[in-house]
Amino acid sequence: MNTPYPAASGTHEAPPSKILLVTGDAAILRKFRQQLMPIYDVITANTVAEGVQLTNKQRPDLILCDVLVTDTSGYQFLITLRDDPSLKHLPFILFNRLNVTPNVRKGMNLGADDYLVYPFSGEELLKSVQSRLSRYHHIRETLGPVKETIIPPIHADGRGTVINERLSKTEAKILDMIAKGMSSRDIASFKCISVRTVDNHRHNITKKLQLSGPNALVKFAIGYGGTHTR
């Protein structure tokens, strides 16, 4: 494991965030390590199989993965990660040498937190990593108590219709998160899906509950949350 520059003695700073870098390209691996190591603790893998193994053993705070890896693809690593309940919330950044829109969309739809097209500057890399780590720690610290529990039947505004009969299980959970004040981006981070997917769910919820628009949905969700807690 590679260790960043040590902190000054006598300080009590938090340990550096741990980043797993997965790529079979030796030149890219060397360059990214040089850019990241002054700030972060960097561990590396040449294949997805090795990356999965290190993720389970080392529990990194963020994964930076090449789309083109020798044994399989970065997409498959992302799918494997998002299917594991204990790992699915880890920030995951894909990078690729080809600026092809369908590839970017595929990565984001699978739940990637960012998709960088190589070559990009060290500043761009560090900004992306720092932004995703900050959001991850914010979600973990402030939204950690949110649990995906089964929501009991709740009647909507005296209409006599049980919400759960109108909404899918996922939509009911997202409505509950909206009631807790979570934004689309917060919900996307918590559930490891894209913001666009969350917005599609919000649109469907609005339509199924026959609400007039986004503001009406938020107002309804707040009232629904109050009913849910009583």
Side-chain angles (χ1 to χ4, degrees):
M1 181 172 66
N2 306 310
T3 306
Y5 304 135
S9 60
T11 62
H12 298 282
E13 296 180 359
S17 296
K18 185 184 297 182
I19 295 176
L20 171 61
L21 170 60
V22 184
T23 179
D25 189 313
I28 290 179
L29 185 146
R30 183 169 57 252
K31 182 176 181 180
F32 286 8
R33 281 178 61 190
Q34 291 173 347
Q35 293 169 338
L36 295 167
M37 280 182 62
I39 304 172
Y40 302 107
D41 185 2
V42 181
I43 54 177
T44 62
N46 299 119
T47 65
V48 166
E50 186 182 0
V52 171
Q53 188 177 39
L54 284 172
T55 300
N56 283 290
K57 290 177 63 177
Q58 300 279 354
R59 297 287 168 161
D61 297 292
L62 178 143
I63 296 172
L64 179 63
C65 185
D66 197 340
V67 168
L68 303 175
V69 192
T70 54
D71 59 339
T72 182
S73 72
Y75 300 125
Q76 186 57 52
F77 188 10
L78 177 56
I79 291 170
T80 300
L81 193 79
R82 294 305 186 227
D83 284 342
D84 187 328
S86 66
L87 300 172
K88 70 176 186 176
H89 300 299
L90 287 179
F92 196 104
I93 299 175
L94 283 167
F95 64 90
N96 197 356
R97 297 155 191 78
L98 300 176
N99 188 7
V100 181
T101 300
N103 290 350
V104 177
R105 287 177 178 168
K106 179 179 180 179
M108 300 306 286
N109 287 336
L110 287 174
D113 296 277
D114 201 0
Y115 194 112
L116 303 175
V117 178
Y118 192 80
F120 42 84
S121 67
E123 183 180 1
E124 288 178 280
L125 175 62
L126 290 172
K127 281 184 177 179
S128 179
V129 169
Q130 183 178 41
S131 174
R132 273 68 201 176
L133 282 173
S134 295
R135 177 160 291 278
Y136 171 62
H137 290 309
H138 169 74
I139 294 292
R140 188 170 63 177
E141 292 169 8
T142 64
L143 301 178
V146 177
K147 298 183 185 294
E148 295 193 22
T149 55
I150 298 175
I151 301 173
I154 302 295
H155 290 271
D157 292 347
R159 297 177 185 176
T161 302
V162 178
I163 289 178
N164 299 58
E165 293 177 356
R166 292 188 177 191
L167 306 181
S168 69
K169 188 176 180 180
T170 297
E171 289 167 349
K173 289 175 181 176
I174 287 177
L175 180 63
D176 193 49
M177 291 179 177
I178 295 171
K180 290 178 169 66
M182 295 173 69
S183 67
S184 290
R185 188 169 293 275
D186 290 334
I187 296 170
S189 295
F190 186 84
K191 294 186 70 64
C192 298
I193 56 179
S194 68
V195 174
R196 179 178 296 181
T197 298
V198 176
D199 287 339
N200 286 339
H201 282 306
R202 294 179 73 125
H203 174 76
N204 291 337
I205 294 169
T206 300
K207 187 175 180 180
K208 288 182 179 181
L209 297 181
Q210 300 178 352
L211 301 171
S212 59
N215 292 335
L217 173 61
V218 173
K219 290 179 181 178
F220 177 85
I222 293 172
Y224 158 77
T227 305
H228 179 48
T229 56
R230 284 198 291 269

